[in-house]
Amino acid sequence: QVQLVESGGGLVQAGGSLRLSCAASGRTFSNDAMGWFRQAPGKEREFVGGISPNGDSTSIADSVKGRFTISRDNDKNTVFLQMNSLKPEDTAVYYCAASPLAFVRTQAGTYMYWGQGTQVTVSS
């Protein structure tokens, strides 16, 4: 059974940092591009960042560029989202997702597997 499990969310003050992890199992995720998305209440799910299967290419949304970075450890089937200089507008449920494509896409529909999400709340 394919599973993606996010962790590392929580409550943090503006300007603080969090590191999200996504542990994958049930599939060879080293062949998949991985992405992070987020969804705030009343808003559509949006792309945050993605990383290619071997980690040599990343894509970060303009809204978080310079503050968020994405990385992966294929030996541990884990993807990370380092979030620095957090702002209240970063508050959302954050999801990781896996795509069988070999390159990063920003469209949620291209991702086949999804985690259950982890809540990130940034207080002002």
Side-chain angles (χ1 to χ4, degrees):
Q1 182 180 358
V2 176
Q3 272 196 315
L4 299 176
V5 180
E6 302 96 336
S7 61
L11 174 63
V12 64
Q13 287 189 331
S17 298
L18 284 174
R19 189 191 197 204
L20 304 185
S21 299
C22 172
S25 62
R27 177 178 170 86
T28 305
F29 284 95
S30 57
N31 295 330
D32 293 342
M34 300 294 291
W36 285 96
F37 290 77
R38 67 185 183 186
Q39 188 166 19
K43 294 188 177 181
E44 293 187 354
R45 190 169 297 189
E46 66 171 345
F47 175 80
V48 175
I51 187 166
S52 61
N54 64 3
D56 64 346
S57 177
T58 62
S59 177
I60 299 292
D62 287 343
S63 59
V64 302
K65 194 167 291 183
R67 301 187 296 121
F68 291 12
T69 56
I70 186 169
S71 60
R72 67 190 296 163
D73 183 342
N74 284 343
D75 289 338
K76 297 182 179 179
N77 277 344
T78 304
V79 179
F80 305 98
L81 182 68
Q82 179 67 44
M83 305 186 295
N84 299 328
S85 302
L86 282 161
K87 304 175 180 180
E89 51 263 44
D90 294 319
T91 295
V93 177
Y94 283 70
Y95 300 89
C96 74
S99 168
L101 299 176
F103 48 92
V104 177
R105 288 289 188 96
T106 63
Q107 301 94 336
T110 61
Y111 290 80
M112 185 175 295
Y113 303 102
W114 290 82
Q116 82 290 348
T118 186
Q119 177 70 47
V120 171
T121 303
V122 184
S123 63
S124 57

